[in-house]
Amino acid sequence: MMNNLIPRRSLADEVAAQLQQQIVLGKYKTGEQLPIEPELMKTFGVGRSTIREAIKSLVNSGLLRVQQGLGTFVEGTEGIKEPLSQRLRRADYKDLDEIRQLLEMKIAEKAAVNRTEDDLKEIRHWLTLRKKTATDNQLVECVEADIRFHTAIAVASKNEILADLYKTLTVQIKKWFLTIHTDTTDFQQTQSLHEQLLKAIEGNDTKKAWNTAARIIGHKSQ
């Protein structure tokens, strides 16, 4: 069974997310000024530093602009310029996991078609290390090996966008895994499924690769 503990975002991230939702839903329209800091502090029940950090995050994303001496204004919801890696830091871990699940099935399918012998060598290396560290209950090393295993599959897919998306996502997923796992039990239990995934990719079996990735995800979501 998987620990269902979901790490909480920082207060500033929570405030930024709520403000962004209010803007998207039209509570604050483009060009409109936000309430002053004391009002925002009262609304969200947080301190001044939290409000300022949340505002800074949304300014960096292009959603807000600050005019010295005048206040903070809604810049607009179109063309938000926030880098993906920064946006992922504010994301809810459940949302991150849904994206991870979708990507892992697709990269497994693509890898079964496009993998090279060098790709297979890299995948085998991390799978072997995953098994060893899981058996030795080395949690940090096991999480790293697990992520590197799936990243190697993403690279083997030969879709650079899919691979880059997965690599960017794993920065936050790694933090999440180290929070929800206290030992390597889950990794030991899913080792055989990961070995089946490798065999499917080796055998160019796209259907089996997709289905096995889905079974791995199903186990992790329990």
Side-chain angles (χ1 to χ4, degrees):
M1 293 290 291
M2 190 177 196
N3 190 327
N4 290 321
L5 176 64
I6 303 298
R8 296 186 62 184
R9 294 178 287 185
S10 71
L11 280 175
D13 287 342
E14 292 285 356
V15 171
Q18 289 182 45
L19 268 173
Q20 180 169 329
Q21 184 179 35
Q22 289 175 356
I23 292 168
V24 170
L25 292 176
K27 180 174 181 178
Y28 302 112
K29 297 178 173 56
T30 300
E32 187 175 341
Q33 184 177 0
L34 290 188
I36 59 176
E37 282 185 354
E39 291 183 24
L40 291 174
M41 290 163 59
K42 183 177 180 181
T43 297
F44 293 104
V46 297
R48 188 180 302 273
S49 61
T50 298
I51 293 296
R52 289 183 174 178
E53 187 178 343
I55 295 295
K56 181 180 179 181
S57 173
L58 295 179
V59 168
N60 289 339
S61 74
L63 196 61
L64 299 177
R65 59 183 166 83
V66 175
Q67 290 186 232
Q68 291 294 340
L70 292 177
T72 302
F73 296 82
V74 177
E75 183 70 5
T77 59
E78 301 83 9
I80 294 177
K81 300 180 285 293
E82 183 176 17
L84 179 60
S85 59
Q86 179 174 304
R87 176 64 185 88
L88 291 176
R89 286 197 294 270
R90 298 195 289 105
D92 183 281
Y93 280 92
K94 289 183 178 179
D95 292 340
L96 286 173
D97 196 46
E98 286 183 357
I99 301 302
R100 177 189 66 81
Q101 292 175 18
L102 290 171
L103 286 176
E104 285 189 4
M105 290 188 291
K106 189 61 181 179
I107 62 178
E109 179 188 53
K110 296 287 290 183
V113 176
N114 298 319
R115 92 293 185 279
T116 65
E117 287 303 316
D118 285 342
D119 291 326
L120 291 175
K121 182 179 179 180
E122 184 76 2
I123 296 169
R124 290 188 196 106
H125 167 75
W126 292 112
L127 184 60
T128 299
L129 189 59
R130 183 189 190 277
K131 181 177 182 179
K132 182 180 184 305
T133 53
T135 301
D136 294 342
N137 199 30
Q138 295 176 299
L139 180 60
V140 174
E141 293 80 2
C142 186
V143 167
E144 180 68 22
D146 179 75
I147 287 175
R148 291 293 190 94
F149 169 79
H150 290 287
T151 300
I153 294 175
V155 172
S157 76
K158 304 309 177 190
N159 183 317
E160 293 185 1
I161 296 176
L162 278 177
D164 286 345
L165 281 173
Y166 193 80
K167 290 174 186 177
T168 302
L169 193 70
T170 56
V171 174
Q172 303 305 317
I173 292 297
K174 181 178 179 180
K175 294 178 182 178
W176 181 41
F177 278 6
L178 290 174
T179 301
I180 63 176
H181 292 288
T182 56
D183 57 35
T184 61
T185 300
D186 280 336
F187 296 91
Q188 293 178 47
Q189 292 176 348
T190 59
Q191 182 66 25
S192 63
L193 282 174
H194 284 71
E195 291 170 357
Q196 291 174 37
L197 178 56
L198 171 58
K199 288 181 180 179
I201 293 171
E202 288 175 331
N204 299 116
D205 191 333
T206 56
K207 184 177 180 180
K208 186 175 180 181
W210 176 285
N211 289 338
T212 304
R215 289 174 62 197
I216 291 172
I217 289 163
H219 185 279
K220 289 181 179 179
S221 300
Q222 289 177 1

